[in-house]
Amino acid sequence: MTRSGPGCAVWEITLRCNLKCIHCGSAAGRAREDELSTEEALELCKQLKSIKCKGVALMGGEPLLREDWSTIGRRVRELGMELSIITNGYVHVESKLTEISGINPELVTVSLDGGNPETHDMIRGVQGSFESVINALHRFIDLDIPTAVITTVHKLNLKDLKAIRSLLVGKGIAWQIQMAMPYGRLTREHVLSEEEYYSLALFIASTRRKYSKKDLMLAGAHDMGYFSRLLPPLQVMPWQGCQAGISTLGIQSNGNILGCLALPDEFIEGNVREQSLEEIWNNPRFSSYSRNVRKSDIGGDCISCDNHRICKGGCTAVSYSMAGGLHRDPYCLRRIEERFESED
């Protein structure tokens, strides 16, 4: 069976990084010893096109530290796929601007995790990273490069959201908020409680109501939801269940393939050095946890929910890390609201 290609392949082109982020799910720092060569990476670009992938997001580690990042990005564009770049902003931006502008990406996303140097630099593990991020944002805006910010929220920066918002309003920057999970360096003690998670949802909802899309385009990521009785949808598109291996594809820097790059190594299902991407993607067993969800797969409180056929138990990454199984994501707005009601 030939499936429609993913809307976006998130490709970690290197694990090399110049920061030491507390919440890094891949514990990035050093490049993998077996990362794809330039030739292999360009071949993978062709294979992404062959499965009708619509867009590619280059990330790391820090993708701009890989010497051939622009060669890979240019090939993505030459093949007619959309290109986005996710950077930590702690690079010598001026030396990269000509190449970035020349490639003409649909979007450059910069990570910003604090509203001031104290919080951001503490989380990112390097002094001066906040100043570098702000400078990068200004330079991208100056050159009319479509720019976004992504903020990964945990207990150490939940209080900074209003300050971050103040930095972004009116700048023409899109903002995505996601929740940190206990993978890689992040310890469970720093993960938001369910009450803190709900307060984060309230912040997203109130910000979307307060500001027009022109002033600040804000959306929650795949782990922000679901089916609240009180709050409007927080994501760009209505939640239709985990999209790993359906509309998304994850690629590690050594060619390992997952349905979603947010998932841990237990979910690796192939490697492009051993099989073609087309064979991996079209394998009936690939991402079966999201492609072929049965009622009997759904567990926890999700099975009794009226929306389980659509929601399918929420985000796989959150469910696996926080509930120890699939299709039972405890970070669900509706479930939290029901618990609040029962406690009154």
Side-chain angles (χ1 to χ4, degrees):
M1 174 183 174
T2 300
R3 299 185 62 92
S4 298
C8 183
V10 182
W11 184 356
E12 168 208 276
I13 60 173
T14 182
L15 203 58
R16 182 184 175 193
C17 192
N18 48 6
L19 296 182
K20 304 170 185 176
C21 304
I22 288 172
H23 59 255
C24 182
S26 54
R30 293 185 177 182
R32 301 176 195 268
E33 293 182 358
D34 59 347
E35 292 188 342
L36 298 179
S37 66
T38 301
E39 183 179 357
E40 289 173 318
L42 296 180
E43 170 59 27
L44 181 51
C45 291
K46 288 174 56 179
Q47 293 191 35
L48 285 164
K49 181 64 176 180
S50 73
I51 65 169
K52 296 181 172 58
C53 178
K54 296 179 177 63
V56 178
L58 301 183
M59 65 172 293
E62 171 49 50
L64 301 185
L65 292 179
R66 178 164 169 147
E67 292 182 359
D68 61 356
W69 71 267
S70 61
T71 301
I72 298 170
R74 194 174 300 109
R75 180 59 56 88
V76 169
R77 298 289 285 137
E78 289 170 352
L79 290 168
M81 294 179 284
E82 295 181 351
L83 174 70
S84 58
I85 300 168
I86 304 171
T87 174
N88 62 33
Y90 191 64
V91 291
H92 189 247
V93 171
E94 292 299 325
S95 66
K96 311 291 183 182
L97 284 174
T98 300
E99 289 178 295
I100 293 174
S101 298
I103 295 173
N104 191 28
E106 269 70 28
L107 187 68
V108 173
T109 300
V110 182
S111 300
L112 179 61
D113 293 311
N116 55 66
E118 290 75 24
T119 303
H120 182 87
D121 291 359
M122 177 268 294
I123 290 171
R124 292 271 154 179
V126 175
Q127 190 172 3
S129 57
F130 177 83
E131 182 180 354
S132 181
V133 167
I134 298 302
N135 177 63
L137 287 171
H138 288 161
R139 295 299 289 127
F140 292 145
I141 293 168
D142 290 343
L143 292 174
D144 292 325
I145 296 173
T147 306
V149 157
I150 186 167
T151 300
T152 303
V153 183
H154 39 75
K155 289 182 183 293
L156 298 174
N157 64 351
L158 180 62
K159 61 178 174 42
D160 273 56
L161 291 174
K162 288 184 178 179
I164 296 173
R165 183 175 66 188
S166 296
L167 293 172
L168 303 180
V169 169
K171 301 293 195 308
I173 299 173
W175 190 17
Q176 177 178 299
I177 291 178
Q178 63 186 25
M179 182 174 65
M181 285 289 96
Y183 296 129
R185 293 197 188 98
L186 190 76
T187 59
R188 203 177 182 95
E189 66 180 310
H190 289 139
V191 176
L192 298 178
S193 67
E194 292 182 15
E195 289 78 8
E196 289 168 331
Y197 174 81
Y198 201 85
S199 74
L200 174 58
L202 286 170
F203 173 83
I204 295 173
S206 64
T207 297
R208 287 166 64 111
R209 186 163 52 245
K210 182 176 182 179
Y211 298 98
S212 68
K213 292 181 179 179
K214 182 178 179 181
D215 287 331
L216 183 63
M217 175 75 76
L218 170 62
H222 54 85
D223 51 13
M224 292 305 308
Y226 315 93
F227 299 101
S228 169
R229 289 194 175 98
L230 305 175
L231 303 178
L234 306 180
Q235 298 159 340
V236 174
M237 301 293 291
W239 180 254
Q240 296 290 319
C242 173
Q243 292 299 297
I246 299 174
S247 65
T248 66
L249 176 69
I251 307 170
Q252 293 183 343
S253 59
N254 60 358
N256 285 334
I257 302 297
L258 309 87
C260 173
L261 204 55
L263 293 168
D265 286 354
E266 294 94 303
F267 288 82
I268 293 169
E269 299 186 65
N271 187 285
V272 294
R273 286 176 170 143
E274 300 167 0
Q275 294 175 278
S276 72
L277 183 58
E278 185 174 2
E279 289 175 317
I280 298 171
W281 177 256
N282 290 319
N283 187 323
R285 294 185 295 276
F286 184 74
S287 293
S288 60
Y289 55 86
S290 56
R291 290 178 174 180
N292 305 302
V293 181
R294 300 164 297 183
K295 184 176 180 180
S296 59
D297 295 327
I298 299 173
D301 294 325
C302 296
I303 188 59
S304 60
C305 178
D306 295 339
N307 295 293
H308 76 264
R309 290 182 178 83
I310 302 172
C311 183
K312 301 174 184 175
C315 171
T316 298
V318 178
S319 182
Y320 186 74
S321 64
M322 299 305 296
L326 306 183
H327 313 297
R328 60 197 71 196
D329 182 351
Y331 285 78
C332 165
L333 297 181
R334 174 167 291 215
R335 192 190 73 80
I336 295 172
E337 289 165 353
E338 291 172 350
R339 182 167 65 79
F340 287 165
E341 291 174 1
S342 67
E343 292 174 353
D344 289 342

